[in-house]
Each structure stands twice: as structure tokens, then as C-alpha cells.
């Protein structure tokens, strides 16, 4: 199976890449030469570029011809919900358009679980997103909504709503919040 991982050098992306590259033909998207070097050590091909560049995304998908894309891109290094929402909107639009154009079979996209509207019961898959949120939360909700709607354009898709990550390489480490790894 050919699997393309966007955000392949991120907290989850590098772990997913490491495991899948042992048994599949894997390529990863990264923005840097050092990220490409890391992907090569994980036995994955590397594409250096920006997911916000539509032509680059189309070229990458056409070149690698993945069966599945695992979409893990975030933009959290400057602690900006606007940057992260923008990459979710634009990057996902490009990935979906390229997936449809080049017949990618399945798209698995990263979303977040803490975006549901408030309620008295535990949230479930049927709980709506908090579409009436005030700013700045609305920025995040709008990014998630755009990502999920775009992902649903592929007949075979999965949307994974993650919770807050903690531990090595995340913001939440033993010494507190850290963005030095991003």
C-alpha cells in the first residue's frame, strides 16, 4: 500500500510514519531539509514543500500516487489559532482536490475532540460542533468545520477527533509548555 502522510514530522506524524514505513511504501510531507532527513531515517520518501501551495500538493500527489493519505498537518509553532485554522482550511482543500483529481482511495484527517458545543451529557459523535462559539474559539471551530467538510468529499474517509496530546515533543511535558520542538 502507498501511504502519503502530511505533517509527517509532527508529534503524531513521525510516529505514524515510523510504524507504517516498516510495512508499506510511505512518503511524508515536511517543510524542511532536516525533516526530510528524519523521514529518510524512518525509511520514508520525503517531499519538502508547503501544503498551502496548491501546485506543489498536486505535483506531490501525482508523483507519489498514494492509495491513502493520512492528513496530520497542524501549524502550532507560534501558538496561533489563526495559523492553525488557516492550514486546516487551505491545506485540506488542496489535499482533497488533489485526492479527487488523482483517485486517492481514502483520506484520514486529524480533527479535535474539544470543539463540541457545551452540554450536560458526555459528548458523542452526534454532538454538534460549537458553531456559535465566540472568538477566539470560533477561529478554531471554523478551521475544524472546513477540514471535516472537505474530508467528507472523498467517498472513503475517516475523521479522527483527537484530544489534547501530552508527553515527549508536545506542549505538555514534564517541564511545562514547550514549543522548542515545533
Amino acid at each position: 500500500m502507498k501511504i502519503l502522510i502530511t505533517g509527517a514530522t509532527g508529534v503524531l506524524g513521525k510516529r505514524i510514519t515510523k510504524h507504517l514505513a516498516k510495512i508499506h511504501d510511505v512518503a511524508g510531507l515536511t517543510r524542511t531539509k532536516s525533516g526530510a532527513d528524519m523521514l529518510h531515517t524512518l525509511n520514508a520518501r520525503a517531499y519538502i514543500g508547503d501544503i498551502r501551495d496548491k501546485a506543489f500538493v498536486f505535483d506531490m500527489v501525482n508523483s507519489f500516487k498514494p492509495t491513502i493519505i493520512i492528513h496530520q498537518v497542524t501549524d502550532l509553532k507560534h501558538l496561533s489559532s489563526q495559523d492553525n485554522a488557516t492550514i486546516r482550511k487551505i491545506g485540506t482543500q488542496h489535499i482533497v482536490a488533489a485526492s479527487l483529481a488523482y483517485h486517492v482511495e481514502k483520506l484520514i484527517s486529524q480533527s479535535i475532540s474539544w470543539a463540541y458545543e457545551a452540554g450536560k451529557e458526555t459528548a458523542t459523535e452526534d454532538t454538534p460542533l460549537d458553531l456559535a462559539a465566540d472568538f477566539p474559539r470560533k477561529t478554531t471551530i471554523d478551521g475544524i468545520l472546513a477540514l471535516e467538510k472537505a474530508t467528507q468529499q472523498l467517498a472513503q474517509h475517516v475523521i479522527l477527533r483527537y484530544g489534547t496530546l501530552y508527553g515527549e515533543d508536545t506542549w505538555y511535558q514534564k517541564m511545562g509548555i514547550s514549543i522548542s520542538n515545533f
Side-chain angles (χ1 to χ4, degrees), residues 68-139:
I68 296 174
I69 295 177
I70 301 176
H71 184 42
Q72 297 292 300
V73 168
T74 59
D75 189 351
L76 300 168
K77 64 182 141 215
H78 301 297
L79 302 175
S80 168
S81 59
Q82 183 60 56
D83 290 349
N84 201 40
T86 297
I87 207 163
R88 287 179 190 269
K89 290 176 184 177
I90 295 171
T92 306
Q93 288 172 3
H94 296 337
I95 285 293
V96 167
S99 294
L100 292 170
Y102 297 112
H103 311 290
V104 173
E105 293 178 20
K106 184 180 278 187
L107 176 62
I108 302 170
S109 292
Q110 175 194 127
S111 188
I112 54 176
S113 65
W114 46 266
Y116 296 111
E117 67 181 26
K120 294 182 181 184
E121 302 294 323
T122 302
T124 70
E125 293 291 321
D126 297 323
T127 304
L129 293 175
D130 189 7
L131 301 178
D134 292 329
F135 286 97
R137 179 174 167 81
K138 182 161 180 45
T139 301

Side-chain angles (χ1 to χ4, degrees), residues 1-14:
M1 188 175 317
K2 293 183 79 169
I3 303 170
L4 174 65
I5 302 170
T6 67
T9 57
V11 172
L12 293 175
K14 68 183 168 190

Side-chain angles (χ1 to χ4, degrees), residues 110-179:
Q110 175 194 127
S111 188
I112 54 176
S113 65
W114 46 266
Y116 296 111
E117 67 181 26
K120 294 182 181 184
E121 302 294 323
T122 302
T124 70
E125 293 291 321
D126 297 323
T127 304
L129 293 175
D130 189 7
L131 301 178
D134 292 329
F135 286 97
R137 179 174 167 81
K138 182 161 180 45
T139 301
T140 297
I141 303 301
D142 289 348
I144 293 164
L145 185 62
L147 175 140
E148 292 187 4
K149 280 186 174 183
T151 297
Q152 291 169 1
Q153 292 179 48
L154 269 78
Q156 292 188 51
H157 65 272
V158 177
I159 298 167
L160 301 172
R161 289 185 175 164
Y162 299 159
T164 301
L165 303 177
Y166 59 92
E168 182 183 354
D169 297 334
T170 72
W171 290 353
Y172 302 100
Q173 301 179 47
K174 286 184 180 183
M175 301 304 292
I177 195 166
S178 170
I179 60 169

Side-chain angles (χ1 to χ4, degrees), residues 29 49-63 89-102 153:
L29 170 61
D50 191 329
I51 199 167
R52 293 170 288 207
D53 179 341
K54 186 176 182 177
F56 166 78
V57 172
F58 271 69
D59 288 346
M60 174 181 63
V61 172
N62 185 37
S63 168
K89 290 176 184 177
I90 295 171
T92 306
Q93 288 172 3
H94 296 337
I95 285 293
V96 167
S99 294
L100 292 170
Y102 297 112
Q153 292 179 48

